[in-house]
Coordinates of all heavy atoms in Angstrom, one line a residue:
A188 N -7.1 9.8 12.3 CA -7.9 8.6 11.9 C -6.9 7.6 11.4 O -7.1 6.4 11.6 CB -8.9 9.0 10.8
F189 N -5.9 8.0 10.6 CA -5.0 7.0 10.1 C -4.2 6.3 11.2 O -4.0 5.1 11.2 CB -4.0 7.7 9.1 CG -2.9 6.8 8.6 CD1 -3.2 5.8 7.6 CD2 -1.6 6.9 9.1 CE1 -2.1 5.0 7.2 CE2 -0.6 6.1 8.6 CZ -0.9 5.1 7.7
F190 N -3.7 7.1 12.1 CA -2.8 6.6 13.1 C -3.6 5.8 14.2 O -3.0 5.1 15.0 CB -1.9 7.7 13.8 CG -0.8 8.0 12.9 CD1 -0.8 9.3 12.2 CD2 0.3 7.2 12.7 CE1 0.3 9.6 11.4 CE2 1.4 7.5 12.0 CZ 1.4 8.8 11.3
S191 N -4.9 6.0 14.2 CA -5.7 5.2 15.2 C -6.0 3.8 14.7 O -6.5 3.0 15.4 CB -7.0 5.9 15.5 OG -7.8 6.1 14.4
Q192 N -5.6 3.5 13.4 CA -5.8 2.1 12.9 C -4.8 1.2 13.5 O -3.8 1.6 14.1 CB -5.6 2.1 11.4 CG -6.5 3.0 10.6 CD -6.1 3.0 9.1 OE1 -5.2 2.4 8.7 NE2 -6.9 3.8 8.3
K193 N -5.1 -0.1 13.4 CA -4.2 -1.1 14.0 C -3.0 -1.3 13.1 O -1.9 -1.5 13.6 CB -4.9 -2.4 14.2 CG -5.9 -2.3 15.4 CD -6.5 -3.7 15.7 CE -7.5 -3.5 16.8 NZ -8.1 -4.8 17.2
D194 N -3.2 -1.4 11.8 CA -2.1 -1.7 10.9 C -1.6 -0.5 10.2 O -2.2 0.1 9.4 CB -2.6 -2.7 9.8 CG -3.0 -4.0 10.5 OD1 -2.4 -4.4 11.5 OD2 -3.9 -4.6 9.9
I195 N -0.4 0.0 10.6 CA 0.3 1.1 10.0 C 1.7 0.7 9.7 O 2.3 -0.2 10.4 CB 0.3 2.4 10.8 CG1 0.9 2.2 12.2 CG2 -1.1 2.9 11.0 CD1 1.1 3.5 12.9
P196 N 2.4 1.3 8.7 CA 3.8 0.8 8.4 C 4.7 1.1 9.6 O 4.5 2.0 10.4 CB 4.1 1.7 7.2 CG 2.9 2.4 6.8 CD 1.9 2.3 7.8
A197 N 5.8 0.3 9.6 CA 6.7 0.4 10.7 C 7.5 1.8 10.7 O 7.8 2.3 11.8 CB 7.8 -0.7 10.6
E198 N 7.7 2.3 9.6 CA 8.4 3.6 9.5 C 7.6 4.8 10.0 O 8.1 5.8 10.4 CB 9.0 4.0 8.1 CG 7.9 4.2 7.1 CD 7.6 2.9 6.3 OE1 8.1 1.8 6.7 OE2 6.8 3.0 5.4
L199 N 6.2 4.6 10.1 CA 5.3 5.6 10.6 C 4.9 5.3 12.0 O 4.1 6.1 12.6 CB 4.1 5.8 9.7 CG 4.4 6.2 8.2 CD1 3.1 6.3 7.4 CD2 5.1 7.6 8.2
E200 N 5.3 4.2 12.6 CA 4.9 3.8 13.9 C 5.3 4.8 15.0 O 4.6 4.9 16.0 CB 5.4 2.4 14.2 CG 5.0 1.8 15.5 CD 3.5 1.4 15.5 OE1 2.9 1.0 14.5 OE2 2.9 1.6 16.6
Q201 N 6.4 5.4 14.7 CA 7.0 6.4 15.8 C 6.1 7.6 16.0 O 6.2 8.2 17.0 CB 8.4 6.8 15.4 CG 8.4 7.5 14.0 CD 9.8 7.9 13.6 OE1 10.8 7.7 14.4 NE2 10.0 8.3 12.4
Y202 N 5.2 7.9 15.0 CA 4.3 9.0 15.1 C 2.9 8.7 15.7 O 2.1 9.6 15.9 CB 4.1 9.7 13.8 CG 5.4 10.1 13.1 CD1 5.7 9.5 11.8 CD2 6.3 11.0 13.7 CE1 6.9 9.9 11.2 CE2 7.5 11.3 13.0 CZ 7.8 10.8 11.8 OH 8.9 11.1 11.2
R203 N 2.7 7.4 16.0 CA 1.4 7.0 16.4 C 1.0 7.7 17.8 O -0.1 8.2 17.9 CB 1.3 5.5 16.6 CG 0.0 5.0 17.2 CD 0.0 3.5 17.6 NE 0.2 2.6 16.4 CZ -0.8 2.0 15.9 NH1 -2.0 2.1 16.3 NH2 -0.6 1.2 14.8
A204 N 1.9 7.7 18.7 CA 1.6 8.2 20.1 C 1.2 9.7 20.0 O 0.4 10.2 20.7 CB 2.8 8.1 21.0
L205 N 1.8 10.4 19.0 CA 1.5 11.9 18.9 C 0.1 12.1 18.5 O -0.6 13.0 19.0 CB 2.5 12.5 17.8 CG 2.3 14.0 17.6 CD1 2.6 14.8 18.8 CD2 3.1 14.4 16.4
F206 N -0.4 11.3 17.6 CA -1.8 11.5 17.0 C -2.9 10.8 17.8 O -4.0 11.1 17.6 CB -1.8 11.1 15.5 CG -1.0 12.1 14.7 CD1 0.3 11.7 14.2 CD2 -1.5 13.3 14.4 CE1 1.0 12.6 13.5 CE2 -0.7 14.2 13.7 CZ 0.5 13.9 13.2
T207 N -2.5 9.8 18.6 CA -3.5 9.0 19.3 C -3.6 9.5 20.8 O -4.4 8.9 21.6 CB -3.3 7.5 19.3 OG1 -2.0 7.3 19.8 CG2 -3.4 7.0 17.9
Y208 N -2.9 10.5 21.1 CA -2.8 10.9 22.5 C -4.2 11.4 23.0 O -4.6 11.1 24.1 CB -1.8 12.0 22.7 CG -1.7 12.6 24.0 CD1 -1.1 11.9 25.1 CD2 -2.2 13.9 24.3 CE1 -1.0 12.4 26.3 CE2 -2.1 14.4 25.6 CZ -1.5 13.7 26.6 OH -1.5 14.2 27.9
E209 N -4.8 12.2 22.2 CA -6.1 12.8 22.6 C -7.2 11.7 22.8 O -8.0 11.8 23.8 CB -6.6 13.7 21.6 CG -5.9 15.0 21.5 CD -6.4 16.0 20.5 OE1 -7.6 15.8 20.0 OE2 -5.7 16.9 20.1
A210 N -7.2 10.7 22.0 CA -8.2 9.6 22.1 C -7.9 8.8 23.4 O -8.8 8.3 24.0 CB -8.1 8.7 20.9
E211 N -6.6 8.6 23.7 CA -6.3 7.8 24.9 C -6.6 8.6 26.2 O -7.0 8.0 27.2 CB -4.8 7.5 24.9 CG -4.4 6.5 23.8 CD -2.9 6.3 23.7 OE1 -2.2 6.9 24.5 OE2 -2.5 5.5 22.8
E212 N -6.5 9.9 26.1 CA -6.7 10.7 27.3 C -8.2 10.9 27.7 O -8.5 11.3 28.8 CB -6.1 12.1 27.1 CG -4.6 12.1 27.3 CD -4.2 11.7 28.7 OE1 -4.7 12.2 29.7 OE2 -3.3 10.9 28.8
V213 N -9.1 10.6 26.7 CA -10.5 10.7 27.0 C -10.9 9.7 28.1 O -11.7 10.1 29.0 CB -11.3 10.5 25.7 CG1 -12.8 10.4 26.0 CG2 -11.1 11.6 24.7
G214 N -10.3 8.6 28.1 CA -10.7 7.5 29.1 C -9.9 7.8 30.4 O -10.3 7.1 31.4
A215 N -9.0 8.7 30.5 CA -8.3 8.9 31.7 C -9.1 9.7 32.7 O -10.1 10.3 32.4 CB -7.0 9.7 31.4
Q216 N -8.8 9.6 34.0 CA -9.5 10.2 35.0 C -9.3 11.7 35.0 O -8.1 12.1 35.0 CB -9.2 9.6 36.4 CG -9.9 10.2 37.5 CD -9.5 9.5 38.8 OE1 -8.5 8.8 38.9 NE2 -10.2 9.9 39.9
H217 N -10.3 12.5 35.0 CA -10.2 13.9 35.0 C -10.9 14.5 36.2 O -11.7 13.8 36.9 CB -10.8 14.5 33.7 CG -10.0 14.2 32.5 ND1 -8.8 14.8 32.2 CD2 -10.3 13.3 31.5 CE1 -8.4 14.3 31.1 NE2 -9.2 13.4 30.6
L218 N -10.7 15.7 36.5 CA -11.5 16.4 37.6 C -12.9 16.5 37.2 O -13.3 16.8 36.1 CB -10.9 17.8 37.8 CG -9.4 17.8 38.2 CD1 -8.9 19.2 38.3 CD2 -9.2 17.1 39.5
G219 N -13.7 16.3 38.2 CA -15.2 16.3 37.9 C -15.7 17.8 37.9 O -14.9 18.7 38.1
D220 N -16.9 17.9 37.5 CA -17.5 19.3 37.4 C -17.7 19.9 38.8 O -17.7 21.1 38.9 CB -18.9 19.2 36.7 CG -18.7 18.8 35.2 OD1 -17.6 19.0 34.7 OD2 -19.7 18.2 34.7
D221 N -17.8 19.1 39.8 CA -18.1 19.6 41.1 C -16.7 19.8 41.9 O -16.7 20.0 43.1 CB -19.0 18.7 41.9 CG -18.4 17.3 42.1 OD1 -17.5 16.9 41.3 OD2 -18.8 16.6 43.1
F222 N -15.6 19.7 41.2 CA -14.3 19.8 41.9 C -14.2 21.1 42.6 O -13.8 21.2 43.8 CB -13.2 19.6 40.9 CG -11.8 19.8 41.5 CD1 -11.3 18.8 42.2 CD2 -11.1 21.0 41.2 CE1 -10.0 18.9 42.8 CE2 -9.8 21.1 41.8 CZ -9.3 20.1 42.6
D223 N -14.5 22.2 41.9 CA -14.3 23.6 42.5 C -15.2 23.7 43.8 O -14.8 24.2 44.8 CB -14.7 24.7 41.6 CG -13.7 24.8 40.4 OD1 -12.5 24.4 40.7 OD2 -14.1 25.2 39.3
A224 N -16.4 23.2 43.7 CA -17.3 23.2 44.9 C -16.8 22.4 46.0 O -16.9 22.9 47.2 CB -18.7 22.8 44.5
R225 N -16.2 21.3 45.8 CA -15.7 20.4 46.9 C -14.5 21.1 47.5 O -14.4 21.1 48.7 CB -15.3 19.1 46.3 CG -16.4 18.2 46.0 CD -16.0 16.8 45.6 NE -15.2 16.9 44.3 CZ -14.3 16.0 44.0 NH1 -14.0 15.0 44.7 NH2 -13.7 16.2 42.8
I226 N -13.6 21.7 46.7 CA -12.5 22.4 47.3 C -12.9 23.6 48.1 O -12.4 23.8 49.2 CB -11.5 22.8 46.2 CG1 -10.9 21.6 45.5 CG2 -10.4 23.7 46.7 CD1 -10.0 20.8 46.4
L227 N -13.8 24.4 47.6 CA -14.3 25.5 48.4 C -15.0 25.1 49.7 O -14.8 25.8 50.7 CB -15.3 26.4 47.5 CG -14.6 27.1 46.4 CD1 -15.7 27.8 45.5 CD2 -13.6 28.2 47.0
A228 N -15.7 24.0 49.7 CA -16.3 23.5 50.9 C -15.3 23.0 51.9 O -15.4 23.3 53.1 CB -17.3 22.3 50.5
M229 N -14.2 22.4 51.4 CA -13.1 22.0 52.3 C -12.4 23.2 52.9 O -12.1 23.2 54.1 CB -12.1 21.2 51.6 CG -12.6 19.8 51.2 SD -11.5 18.9 50.1 CE -10.0 18.9 51.1
I230 N -12.3 24.3 52.2 CA -11.6 25.5 52.7 C -12.5 26.1 53.7 O -12.0 26.6 54.8 CB -11.4 26.5 51.5 CG1 -10.2 25.9 50.6 CG2 -11.0 27.8 52.1 CD1 -10.0 26.7 49.4
E231 N -13.8 26.2 53.5 CA -14.7 26.8 54.4 C -14.9 26.0 55.7 O -15.2 26.6 56.8 CB -16.1 27.0 53.8 CG -16.1 28.1 52.7 CD -17.4 28.2 51.9 OE1 -18.3 27.4 52.2 OE2 -17.5 29.0 51.0
E232 N -14.7 24.7 55.7 CA -14.8 23.9 56.9 C -13.7 24.1 57.9 O -13.8 23.9 59.1 CB -14.8 22.4 56.5 CG -16.1 21.9 55.8 CD -15.9 20.5 55.4 OE1 -14.9 19.8 55.7 OE2 -16.9 20.0 54.8
E233 N -12.5 24.5 57.4 CA -11.3 24.7 58.3 C -11.6 25.9 59.2 O -12.2 26.9 58.9 CB -10.1 25.0 57.5 CG -9.6 23.9 56.6 CD -8.4 24.2 55.9 OE1 -7.8 25.3 56.1 OE2 -8.0 23.5 55.0
P234 N -11.3 25.7 60.5 CA -11.5 26.7 61.5 C -10.6 27.9 61.2 O -9.5 27.7 60.8 CB -11.2 26.1 62.8 CG -10.3 25.0 62.5 CD -10.7 24.5 61.1
Q235 N -11.2 29.1 61.4 CA -10.4 30.3 61.2 C -9.6 30.5 62.4 O -10.1 30.7 63.5 CB -11.4 31.5 60.9 CG -12.2 31.4 59.7 CD -11.3 31.4 58.4 OE1 -10.3 32.1 58.4 NE2 -11.8 30.7 57.4
T236 N -8.3 30.6 62.2 CA -7.4 30.8 63.3 C -6.9 32.3 63.2 O -6.6 32.8 62.2 CB -6.1 29.9 63.2 OG1 -5.5 30.1 62.0 CG2 -6.5 28.5 63.3
T237 N -6.9 32.9 64.4 CA -6.4 34.3 64.4 C -4.9 34.3 64.8 O -4.5 33.5 65.7 CB -7.2 35.1 65.4 OG1 -7.1 34.5 66.7 CG2 -8.7 35.2 65.0
V238 N -4.2 35.1 64.2 CA -2.8 35.2 64.5 C -2.6 36.5 65.3 O -3.0 37.6 64.9 CB -2.0 35.3 63.2 CG1 -0.5 35.5 63.5 CG2 -2.2 34.0 62.4
K239 N -2.0 36.3 66.5 CA -1.7 37.4 67.3 C -0.3 37.9 67.1 O 0.7 37.2 67.1 CB -1.8 37.0 68.8 CG -1.7 38.1 69.8 CD -1.9 37.6 71.2 CE -1.7 38.8 72.1 NZ -1.8 38.4 73.5
A240 N -0.2 39.2 66.8 CA 1.1 39.8 66.5 C 1.8 40.0 67.8 O 1.3 40.4 68.8 CB 0.9 41.1 65.8
R241 N 3.1 39.7 67.8 CA 4.0 39.9 68.9 C 4.5 41.3 68.9 O 4.8 41.9 67.9 CB 5.2 39.0 68.9 CG 4.8 37.6 69.1 CD 6.1 36.7 69.3 NE 7.2 37.2 68.5 CZ 8.4 36.7 68.5 NH1 8.7 35.7 69.3 NH2 9.4 37.2 67.8
E242 N 4.6 41.9 70.1 CA 5.2 43.2 70.2 C 6.7 43.0 70.5 O 7.1 42.3 71.3 CB 4.6 44.0 71.4 CG 3.1 44.4 71.1 CD 2.6 45.2 72.3 OE1 3.4 45.8 73.0 OE2 1.3 45.3 72.4
I243 N 7.5 43.8 69.7 CA 8.9 43.7 69.8 C 9.4 45.0 70.3 O 9.1 46.1 69.7 CB 9.5 43.4 68.4 CG1 9.0 42.0 67.9 CG2 11.0 43.3 68.5 CD1 9.5 41.7 66.6
S244 N 10.2 44.9 71.4 CA 10.7 46.1 72.0 C 11.9 46.7 71.2 O 12.5 45.9 70.4 CB 11.1 45.9 73.4 OG 12.2 45.0 73.5
L245 N 12.3 47.9 71.5 CA 13.4 48.5 70.8 C 14.7 47.7 71.1 O 15.6 47.5 70.3 CB 13.5 49.9 71.2 CG 14.7 50.7 70.5 CD1 14.4 50.8 69.0 CD2 14.8 52.1 71.1
K246 N 14.8 47.2 72.4 CA 16.0 46.5 72.8 C 16.1 45.2 71.9 O 17.2 44.8 71.5 CB 15.9 46.1 74.3 CG 17.1 45.4 74.8 CD 16.9 45.1 76.3 CE 18.1 44.2 76.7 NZ 17.9 43.9 78.1
Q247 N 15.0 44.5 71.7 CA 15.0 43.3 70.9 C 15.3 43.6 69.5 O 16.0 42.8 68.8 CB 13.6 42.6 71.0 CG 13.3 42.0 72.4 CD 11.9 41.4 72.4 OE1 11.0 41.9 71.8 NE2 11.7 40.4 73.3
R248 N 14.9 44.7 69.0 CA 15.2 45.0 67.6 C 16.6 45.3 67.4 O 17.2 45.0 66.3 CB 14.3 46.2 67.1 CG 12.9 45.9 66.8 CD 12.2 47.1 66.3 NE 10.8 46.7 66.1 CZ 10.0 47.4 65.3 NH1 10.4 48.4 64.6 NH2 8.7 47.0 65.3
L249 N 17.2 46.0 68.4 CA 18.6 46.4 68.3 C 19.6 45.3 68.8 O 20.8 45.5 68.7 CB 18.9 47.7 69.0 CG 18.1 48.9 68.5 CD1 18.4 50.1 69.4 CD2 18.5 49.2 67.1

Side-chain angles (χ1 to χ4, degrees):
F189 174 77
F190 283 107
S191 62
Q192 298 174 2
K193 289 186 180 181
D194 297 327
I195 59 171
E198 64 268 6
L199 298 177
E200 185 69 35
Q201 60 185 348
Y202 305 120
R203 178 189 292 259
L205 179 67
F206 292 103
T207 59
Y208 177 75
E209 288 180 19
E211 292 172 0
E212 284 298 312
V213 170
Q216 182 181 7
H217 292 286
L218 300 176
D220 293 335
D221 64 336
F222 177 76
D223 291 334
R225 287 186 294 154
I226 293 296
L227 289 174
M229 289 172 57
I230 291 173
E231 291 173 359
E232 287 177 6
E233 292 181 10
Q235 296 293 329
T236 58
T237 57
V238 177
K239 184 177 179 183
R241 290 187 329 174
E242 291 185 18
I243 299 175
S244 67
L245 183 63
K246 181 180 176 184
Q247 289 175 331
R248 285 185 185 201
L249 295 178

